[in-house]
Each structure stands twice: as C-alpha cells, then as structure tokens.
Amino acid sequence: MDTLQINSERLWRRIDELAQVGAIADTNGCSRLALTDEDREGRNLVITWMEDLGMEIAIDGVGNVVGTWFGNSTDKSLPLVMTGSHIDTVRTGGRFDGNLGVLAGLEVVETLAENGISPLHPIAVGFFTGEEGARFAPDMLGSLVYVGGMSLESTLDIEGIDGKRLGDELERIGFRGAAPCPGPIPKAFIELHVEQGPILEADATSIGAVDSVQGISWTEITIEGQSNHAGTTPMHMRHDAGFAAAQIATFVRQIALETGGNQVGTVGKIDLHPNLVNVVASKAVITVDLRNTDDEVLQHAESQLHEFCKALSERENVEITSKILARFEPVTFAQELVAEVTKAAESLGLSVQQMTSGAGHDAQMFARVCPTAMIFVPSEGGLSHNPAEFTSQEQIKDGANVLLQVLIQLAEEQNE
Ligand code: GLV
Ligand code: MN
Ligand code: MN
C-alpha cells in the first residue's frame, strides 16, 4: 500500500478546470469571492465531481459542502475522517489556495476507489463557505459554524463589503442547505494547502508538517471628519479623514517593525468618501490585519493601535470608531497527527520540516473539536493572494501523496 500513488495529471487537470471558473484574463489566477455567481459555478463543478465518485453530498445551513465516500463499508455509523479546504478566493486570487486541498481530497478518494481500497472509516471531503473573509468577515466562517464556534443565525446576518447580507446571497446562489450546523465531528481533520509563504522554497524542503497557526486580529476602523474645499480650507481648520487613515496605515507598519519577531501588520483596504481630487475626505473606512504566533504580543499590538487611534482622534478633530471583524487565537495542532504527516513524507523519501502557518485555514477551526494537522507544499517566490501564485505539478503530487498516506492511516485505524 506504501507505493500507492495519486494520479497527478488528473489532479492538475481538475485544478486547471476549476481555475477557469472566474478566471482572471491573461493570468493563471481566479476571482471567486464567496457566494458570488462564480462561487456558485465553482461549487457546482466540484459537486459534479463528488457525485461522479459516488460520494454522498451534504450541504448545511451556511453552505458548507461535505462529500462522503463510504467505499464498500456497510457500517455508516463510524466517524468520518475528513479532509478539504475552501474554493472561494480573494478577488485577485491564485488557483491553488484552498482549491488544492479540496481537489487533492477528491483525488485521494478516486485513487482508493480505482485501486479497490475501501478503508474502515468513511472519508469526507469538505469545502467550507467563505474561508477567505474577503467578502464576508470573519475568515474561516463556514468551518467556524461547522464546529459550533458561531451561531448560524448570526452568521446569516453578516453584511458583506458590498452591503449584501450573507443569508440572502446564500439563498440566491441556491446553497442554503438542510444539513445541521454544527456538523458531525470528524475522527480527525487533515488539510493540504500551499504554504503561501517563502519558507519551504528557501529551505529547499518538499513538505511542511504544520504544527500551529498564528493568531489573527482584523479591525475595521471608521474615521468621520468633514468634507471641505481642498483649495480654501487652511490646514489647521481641517477634519481630514483621509489624512487620519494614512496615519493609521503608517502606524500599523511601525507596530510590526518595532514589535519585531514574527509580528506582521497590514492595511489592505481604504475607502475614502467622497474620494475626489479637490475635496478633503469626510470619511474613511480602513481595515487592519495584525498577526502573531504569541497571543500576548498580539494583544499588545492591538492595544497600541487602540491608543494611537484615541490620540489621533483628538489631534485631528475626527471621530474614530472601530469594529472587530475577526479575532482568532493562535492554534496548536495535534502532535500525533503532525508526526503522522512527517512519517508519511519520510516514507515517500520527501524532505519535511515542522512549521507554523502564517495564513488562516479551515483546519484551525477543526482543531477545536478533533485531532487536526496540515500539510504544506512550497509556493514559488512565497507568492499568494496573487493570480501569479504557483506550485508545480511535481510539488503538488508530493503533497497529495502525503495526504493519501495520512488519510489511509487515519481511515484504517480502529476507533479508540
Ligand atoms: C486567509 O486566507 C487569511 O489568512 O487571510
Ligand atoms: Mn486558503
Ligand atoms: Mn487565502
């Protein structure tokens, strides 16, 4: 069984086919923000593949889709061994982020099926709604609801960046399912993902055995000033929301640099009103993304930002309010499962290293309810959330073969 291999041509083809949905012209990337028409089309395509594999499909109240493969098993009561990820993307996304984990899961099922291998536990492949958080915050919201971390009712009421209500968009694309939230707790959860950072490539390592995910803090800050004439308003008489937003963006960079270590800080979105060349901005809405592996350090960065905004508001005569969009503590994965990933990689002759994840993942939600770990494969140039994101077919084959081995191991183990 050790020599069983996934079909990397088939996996590569499916990645390419899914990437045609919402493809960004003249790039390899795609744009499938959660619950848009493109997301619906991508979902339907993946469900077709699940059905072709004879998987049982369950769609829950927040649109998470879980396909379960029972093989020849007649005992449907055994807990699922689950893999998967997400197929929504940021607006200017790559073709691998999330999609790889879902399609590699299907590839594992197909490999087992065509080789007549039917493990004891059913294997489930899920794709979870709105992992990116780019349209509806927080990120990982589908998996968060799946594990019971947020109520379905409050999730359906989340407003997107376009003012649309999540529940309405879910209905509109036909993915408000009947399966219960929270969903059945898996025996274990294992997710294959591209690293989205530079470490594996720099270390010339094929596989990351991910043992943790750093903490994530997202804040939306709204600054209310006063619009006025750009030519006639003396500098000392301005209530300039645009300037205040720029000050916050600069301060976020300063926090990250002064904190050092692995502290990162990003202002990825600034909306100015009325956004005109000759008008002092009356309003600015900006987002701040702060992350750290140490929650105490992250909390300190958050309070520095808060203090800065308070002082800025007084100095610039603007009103500043803030709203938390997402807040997740750092997560540690199950050591025995991380060891399983390491062992599988080594048994395939692949170099492997234990590492933390800089990006958020559905797996970090599953870690709340069951043994969980992740498998990383390298990202060229450390590039992600960019249409140019790239991982080679060979590297993907290696990662999917590790996933195959770990899933076989988990699905064959007797229940404790
Ligand atoms: C999800 O992709 C995140 O880490 O922002
Ligand atoms: Mn992802
Ligand atoms: Mn992403």
Side-chain angles (χ1 to χ4, degrees), residues 86 88-90 93 97-98 131-133 193 196 359-361 384-385 389:
H86 61 99
D88 69 314
T89 74
V90 295
D97 178 358
E131 188 274 351
E132 293 291 4
H193 206 285
Q196 310 183 268
H361 297 290
S384 187
H385 287 185
E389 173 190 78

Side-chain angles (χ1 to χ4, degrees), residues 12-27:
W12 191 253
R13 253 195 332 268
R14 282 203 179 114
I15 291 170
D16 187 55
E17 203 175 326
L18 183 52
Q20 301 315 314
V21 182
I24 302 170
D26 304 322
T27 76

Side-chain angles (χ1 to χ4, degrees), residues 69-214:
W69 183 67
F70 291 95
N72 300 326
S73 173
T74 45
D75 182 359
K76 294 199 167 182
S77 66
L78 285 172
L80 312 167
V81 170
M82 194 182 274
T83 188
S85 192
H86 61 99
I87 63 162
D88 69 314
T89 74
V90 295
R91 186 180 277 125
T92 50
R95 58 171 55 194
F96 302 100
D97 178 358
N99 303 293
L100 170 62
V102 178
L103 301 181
L106 298 188
E107 178 52 42
V108 166
V109 168
E110 187 150 6
T111 301
L112 295 177
E114 72 190 2
N115 284 280
I117 298 165
S118 177
L120 182 66
H121 290 263
I123 295 180
V125 182
F127 57 89
F128 302 94
T129 296
E131 188 274 351
E132 293 291 4
R135 186 179 182 204
F136 299 99
D139 45 351
M140 287 84 70
L141 68 81
S143 44
L144 181 62
V145 172
Y146 185 99
V147 302
M150 185 159 67
S151 78
L152 178 59
E153 293 67 34
S154 58
T155 307
L156 295 176
D157 276 336
I158 292 171
E159 187 182 302
I161 54 172
D162 47 10
K164 299 268 169 62
R165 183 178 166 272
L166 187 146
D168 295 342
E169 287 297 274
L170 198 55
E171 295 273 4
R172 188 186 68 78
I173 69 162
F175 271 86
R176 176 86 208 271
C181 303
I185 295 178
K187 175 178 183 254
F189 186 90
I190 177 88
E191 177 175 357
L192 170 65
H193 206 285
V194 287
E195 180 201 336
Q196 310 183 268
I199 296 168
L200 289 174
E201 183 178 73
D203 294 350
T205 303
S206 301
I207 299 293
V210 185
D211 57 15
S212 50
V213 182
Q214 68 178 343

